[in-house]
């Protein structure tokens, strides 16, 4: 059961730099250090160094500080801890569950939907989520210099059907602001692009990322910026996250949230309702609730469709319609997400 209330105390906070880049560089990358921060003994969890070698552990301190010390089932901890379940193999779970390799026409671009296109801005994330559908993505093949980005810009210029560019990754906000400001200015000069969507988890895991430097470039052009956050559990939102979100909304950005339905983390209607309420309090609209993508290493997070539909039905009874995210699944080679209900 996800833990939304508990007598356990939060992890002991340590003093952290106000600079987001320093916080990023100081992310915890070892299982032992993470467990030690939370006063947990290794025998309380089925951790796996092998899983950590296949997909490294990475979690910034502000996110750890929202975990409950002494709770081995903490819903934030379970999202980031490498465990033996990840080593299960099943033919139904693979390294490219959305077949994105078929839609990667040139380095840095994933073009799988009509009228919009994803730019793989950064190969890095501030946090490594164990259920990530891009945990095996060939980022090295999509890494490019500023000069090579001109090729991606030419691709966008030539396809006049594209009206929206989505900054994705990795986490696009792991890139530096000088580069992002340059790229955004170039895109704004392409007359058929109307909107810029930024899909990011960085404001959640390191709220200091939303600083004046970010706000300057994100609001400097004629493009309408939309920020899509990724938050799975209400415990991820503390006062610092709420303050970062407020900076986004004060700057006139629309802020949406997408979640993934995850076993033992948010797989009950009460936890999801609490998340939607908290998001709304912060000025964020719940957008999508994704079913887990069948990515190798994440099958233990997955739920049967019948269970997902049952939870979703209960959620609909707890909330007004505008707080209920759409329950969706991504089916490879379709032009949009597919509604499950
Ligand atoms: S932040 Fe997003 S892209 Fe990065 S590991 Fe988590 S889910 Fe994947």
């Amino acid at each position: 059961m996800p833990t939304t209330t508990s007598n356990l105390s939060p992890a002991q906070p340590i003093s952290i730099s106000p600079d987001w880049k320093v916080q990023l560089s100081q992310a915890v990358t070892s299982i032992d250090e993470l467990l030690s921060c939370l006063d947990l003994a290794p025998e309380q969890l089925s951790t796996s160094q092998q899983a950590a070698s296949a997909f490294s552990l990475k979690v910034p301190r502000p996110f750890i500080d929202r975990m409950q010390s002494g709770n081995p089932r903490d819903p934030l901890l379970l999202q980031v801890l490498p465990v033996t379940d990840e080593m299960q193999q099943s033919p139904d779970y693979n390294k490219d569950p959305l077949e994105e390799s078929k839609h990667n026409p040139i380095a840095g671009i994933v073009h799988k939907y009509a009228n919009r296109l994803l730019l793989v801005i950064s190969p890095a994330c501030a946090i490594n989520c164990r259920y990530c559908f891009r945990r095996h993505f060939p980022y090295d093949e999509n890494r490019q210099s500023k000069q090579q980005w001109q090729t991606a810009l030419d691709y966008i210029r030539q396809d006049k059907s594209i009206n929206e560019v989505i900054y994705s990754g990795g986490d696009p906000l792991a890139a530096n602001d000088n580069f992002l400001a340059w790229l955004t200015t170039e895109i704004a000069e392409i007359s058929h692009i109307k909107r810029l969507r930024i899909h990011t988890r960085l404001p959640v895991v390191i709220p200091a990322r939303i600083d004046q430097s970010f706000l300057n470039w994100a609001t400097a052009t004629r493009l309408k910026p939309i920020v899509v956050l990724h938050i799975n559990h209400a415990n991820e939102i503390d006062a610092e996250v709420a303050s970062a979100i407020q900076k986004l909304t004060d700057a006139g950005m629309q802020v949406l949230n997408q979640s993934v339905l995850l076993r033992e983390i948010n797989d009950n209607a009460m936890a999801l309702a609490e998340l939607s309420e908290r998001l709304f309090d912060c000025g964020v609209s719940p957008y999508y609730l994704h079913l887990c993508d069948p990515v190798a290493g994440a099958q233990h997070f997955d739920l049967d469709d019948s269970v997902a539909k049952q939870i979703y039905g209960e959620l609909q009874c707890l909330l007004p319609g505008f707080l209920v995210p759409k329950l969706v699944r991504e089916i490879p080679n379709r032009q949009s997400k597919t509604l499950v209900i």
Side-chain angles (χ1 to χ4, degrees), residues 121-133:
I121 300 286
S122 162
C125 290
I127 188 167
N128 284 348
C129 312
R130 309 312 297 177
Y131 51 83
C132 180
F133 75 91

Side-chain angles (χ1 to χ4, degrees), residues 138-214:
Y139 287 115
D140 283 345
E141 294 166 22
N142 284 273
R143 203 184 288 268
Q144 46 190 352
S145 65
K146 204 167 176 182
Q147 200 173 9
Q148 289 167 313
W149 275 106
Q150 289 293 355
T151 310
L153 288 165
D154 285 343
Y155 182 98
I156 300 170
R157 284 185 193 107
Q158 281 159 20
D159 188 342
K160 294 195 168 28
S161 71
I162 301 166
N163 60 25
E164 179 172 338
V165 170
I166 301 170
Y167 284 2
S168 186
D171 196 311
L173 296 193
N176 75 61
D177 285 325
N178 285 343
F179 167 73
L180 289 163
W182 168 79
L183 187 66
T184 304
T185 304
E186 292 286 318
I187 291 169
E189 284 172 9
I190 303 173
S191 59
H192 50 272
I193 304 301
K194 293 186 197 164
R195 291 181 297 274
L196 173 68
R197 202 169 355 143
I198 303 169
H199 279 216
T200 177
R201 194 149 160 71
L202 244 154
V204 182
V205 302
I206 302 181
R209 178 64 181 94
I210 304 306
D211 57 9
Q212 197 54 49
S213 174
F214 163 78

